[in-house]
PDB file of all heavy atoms in Angstrom:
ATOM      1  N   GLU A 284      15.749   5.684  35.039  1.00 89.00           N
ATOM      2  CA  GLU A 284      16.648   6.838  34.972  1.00 89.00           C
ATOM      3  C   GLU A 284      16.508   7.590  33.652  1.00 89.00           C
ATOM      4  O   GLU A 284      16.631   8.815  33.601  1.00 89.00           O
ATOM      5  CB  GLU A 284      18.102   6.376  35.145  1.00 89.00           C
ATOM      6  CG  GLU A 284      18.387   5.676  36.469  1.00 89.00           C
ATOM      7  CD  GLU A 284      19.801   5.153  36.525  1.00 89.00           C
ATOM      8  OE1 GLU A 284      20.623   5.592  35.701  1.00 89.00           O
ATOM      9  OE2 GLU A 284      20.087   4.286  37.378  1.00 89.00           O
ATOM     10  N   LYS A 285      16.241   6.855  32.569  1.00 91.00           N
ATOM     11  CA  LYS A 285      16.234   7.476  31.240  1.00 91.00           C
ATOM     12  C   LYS A 285      14.838   7.651  30.662  1.00 91.00           C
ATOM     13  O   LYS A 285      14.687   7.821  29.460  1.00 91.00           O
ATOM     14  CB  LYS A 285      17.071   6.629  30.278  1.00 91.00           C
ATOM     15  CG  LYS A 285      18.548   6.602  30.620  1.00 91.00           C
ATOM     16  CD  LYS A 285      19.344   5.892  29.547  1.00 91.00           C
ATOM     17  CE  LYS A 285      20.842   5.965  29.816  1.00 91.00           C
ATOM     18  NZ  LYS A 285      21.636   5.294  28.772  1.00 91.00           N
ATOM     19  N   ASN A 286      13.814   7.629  31.504  1.00 91.00           N
ATOM     20  CA  ASN A 286      12.462   7.758  30.982  1.00 91.00           C
ATOM     21  C   ASN A 286      11.925   9.182  31.031  1.00 91.00           C
ATOM     22  O   ASN A 286      10.756   9.422  30.766  1.00 91.00           O
ATOM     23  CB  ASN A 286      11.506   6.825  31.740  1.00 91.00           C
ATOM     24  CG  ASN A 286      11.389   7.198  33.211  1.00 91.00           C
ATOM     25  OD1 ASN A 286      12.070   8.103  33.693  1.00 91.00           O
ATOM     26  ND2 ASN A 286      10.524   6.488  33.935  1.00 91.00           N
ATOM     27  N   THR A 287      12.753  10.154  31.386  1.00 93.00           N
ATOM     28  CA  THR A 287      12.288  11.522  31.584  1.00 93.00           C
ATOM     29  C   THR A 287      12.269  12.301  30.280  1.00 93.00           C
ATOM     30  O   THR A 287      12.948  11.971  29.309  1.00 93.00           O
ATOM     31  CB  THR A 287      13.189  12.259  32.588  1.00 93.00           C
ATOM     32  OG1 THR A 287      14.517  12.359  32.029  1.00 93.00           O
ATOM     33  CG2 THR A 287      13.259  11.505  33.910  1.00 93.00           C
ATOM     34  N   ALA A 288      11.481  13.384  30.270  1.00 92.00           N
ATOM     35  CA  ALA A 288      11.427  14.257  29.099  1.00 92.00           C
ATOM     36  C   ALA A 288      12.748  14.973  28.885  1.00 92.00           C
ATOM     37  O   ALA A 288      13.090  15.334  27.753  1.00 92.00           O
ATOM     38  CB  ALA A 288      10.290  15.269  29.261  1.00 92.00           C
ATOM     39  N   THR A 289      13.498  15.185  29.959  1.00 92.00           N
ATOM     40  CA  THR A 289      14.806  15.836  29.817  1.00 92.00           C
ATOM     41  C   THR A 289      15.733  14.995  28.957  1.00 92.00           C
ATOM     42  O   THR A 289      16.426  15.503  28.067  1.00 92.00           O
ATOM     43  CB  THR A 289      15.434  16.063  31.201  1.00 92.00           C
ATOM     44  OG1 THR A 289      14.547  16.840  32.003  1.00 92.00           O
ATOM     45  CG2 THR A 289      16.774  16.782  31.070  1.00 92.00           C
ATOM     46  N   THR A 290      15.746  13.687  29.212  1.00 93.00           N
ATOM     47  CA  THR A 290      16.550  12.794  28.375  1.00 93.00           C
ATOM     48  C   THR A 290      16.026  12.776  26.949  1.00 93.00           C
ATOM     49  O   THR A 290      16.796  12.800  25.986  1.00 93.00           O
ATOM     50  CB  THR A 290      16.515  11.366  28.956  1.00 93.00           C
ATOM     51  OG1 THR A 290      17.024  11.385  30.288  1.00 93.00           O
ATOM     52  CG2 THR A 290      17.351  10.421  28.104  1.00 93.00           C
ATOM     53  N   ALA A 291      14.714  12.743  26.798  1.00 94.00           N
ATOM     54  CA  ALA A 291      14.122  12.655  25.464  1.00 94.00           C
ATOM     55  C   ALA A 291      14.415  13.902  24.640  1.00 94.00           C
ATOM     56  O   ALA A 291      14.630  13.817  23.419  1.00 94.00           O
ATOM     57  CB  ALA A 291      12.617  12.422  25.581  1.00 94.00           C
ATOM     58  N   ARG A 292      14.404  15.099  25.270  1.00 94.00           N
ATOM     59  CA  ARG A 292      14.638  16.333  24.514  1.00 94.00           C
ATOM     60  C   ARG A 292      16.011  16.365  23.879  1.00 94.00           C
ATOM     61  O   ARG A 292      16.218  17.015  22.852  1.00 94.00           O
ATOM     62  CB  ARG A 292      14.427  17.547  25.427  1.00 94.00           C
ATOM     63  CG  ARG A 292      12.977  17.829  25.757  1.00 94.00           C
ATOM     64  CD  ARG A 292      12.791  19.256  26.264  1.00 94.00           C
ATOM     65  NE  ARG A 292      13.553  19.509  27.472  1.00 94.00           N
ATOM     66  CZ  ARG A 292      13.087  19.336  28.707  1.00 94.00           C
ATOM     67  NH1 ARG A 292      11.844  18.893  28.878  1.00 94.00           N
ATOM     68  NH2 ARG A 292      13.825  19.604  29.763  1.00 94.00           N
ATOM     69  N   ASP A 293      16.967  15.673  24.464  1.00 94.00           N
ATOM     70  CA  ASP A 293      18.307  15.635  23.873  1.00 94.00           C
ATOM     71  C   ASP A 293      18.317  14.892  22.536  1.00 94.00           C
ATOM     72  O   ASP A 293      19.242  15.040  21.746  1.00 94.00           O
ATOM     73  CB  ASP A 293      19.288  14.956  24.843  1.00 94.00           C
ATOM     74  CG  ASP A 293      19.525  15.789  26.096  1.00 94.00           C
ATOM     75  OD1 ASP A 293      19.315  17.017  26.025  1.00 94.00           O
ATOM     76  OD2 ASP A 293      19.917  15.212  27.129  1.00 94.00           O
ATOM     77  N   TYR A 294      17.300  14.062  22.294  1.00 95.00           N
ATOM     78  CA  TYR A 294      17.230  13.319  21.031  1.00 95.00           C
ATOM     79  C   TYR A 294      16.578  14.111  19.904  1.00 95.00           C
ATOM     80  O   TYR A 294      16.581  13.665  18.754  1.00 95.00           O
ATOM     81  CB  TYR A 294      16.427  12.023  21.237  1.00 95.00           C
ATOM     82  CG  TYR A 294      17.056  11.023  22.168  1.00 95.00           C
ATOM     83  CD1 TYR A 294      16.296  10.373  23.133  1.00 95.00           C
ATOM     84  CD2 TYR A 294      18.410  10.697  22.081  1.00 95.00           C
ATOM     85  CE1 TYR A 294      16.849   9.437  23.990  1.00 95.00           C
ATOM     86  CE2 TYR A 294      18.978   9.763  22.930  1.00 95.00           C
ATOM     87  CZ  TYR A 294      18.193   9.142  23.884  1.00 95.00           C
ATOM     88  OH  TYR A 294      18.753   8.215  24.720  1.00 95.00           O
ATOM     89  N   LEU A 295      15.973  15.254  20.200  1.00 95.00           N
ATOM     90  CA  LEU A 295      15.240  16.006  19.180  1.00 95.00           C
ATOM     91  C   LEU A 295      16.129  16.316  17.977  1.00 95.00           C
ATOM     92  O   LEU A 295      17.234  16.833  18.115  1.00 95.00           O
ATOM     93  CB  LEU A 295      14.697  17.307  19.771  1.00 95.00           C
ATOM     94  CG  LEU A 295      13.383  17.201  20.563  1.00 95.00           C
ATOM     95  CD1 LEU A 295      13.082  18.519  21.255  1.00 95.00           C
ATOM     96  CD2 LEU A 295      12.239  16.800  19.647  1.00 95.00           C
ATOM     97  N   GLY A 296      15.623  15.995  16.782  1.00 95.00           N
ATOM     98  CA  GLY A 296      16.337  16.279  15.556  1.00 95.00           C
ATOM     99  C   GLY A 296      17.471  15.324  15.244  1.00 95.00           C
ATOM    100  O   GLY A 296      18.137  15.472  14.217  1.00 95.00           O
ATOM    101  N   LYS A 297      17.689  14.316  16.098  1.00 95.00           N
ATOM    102  CA  LYS A 297      18.810  13.398  15.908  1.00 95.00           C
ATOM    103  C   LYS A 297      18.321  12.055  15.357  1.00 95.00           C
ATOM    104  O   LYS A 297      17.159  11.697  15.489  1.00 95.00           O
ATOM    105  CB  LYS A 297      19.549  13.171  17.228  1.00 95.00           C
ATOM    106  CG  LYS A 297      20.223  14.405  17.796  1.00 95.00           C
ATOM    107  CD  LYS A 297      20.923  14.077  19.110  1.00 95.00           C
ATOM    108  CE  LYS A 297      21.609  15.301  19.689  1.00 95.00           C
ATOM    109  NZ  LYS A 297      22.282  14.999  20.986  1.00 95.00           N
TER     110      LYS A 297
END
Side-chain angles (χ1 to χ4, degrees):
E284 300 175 16
K285 294 187 175 181
N286 64 356
T287 64
T289 303
T290 301
R292 287 198 300 269
D293 292 337
Y294 295 135
L295 278 172
K297 295 180 180 179

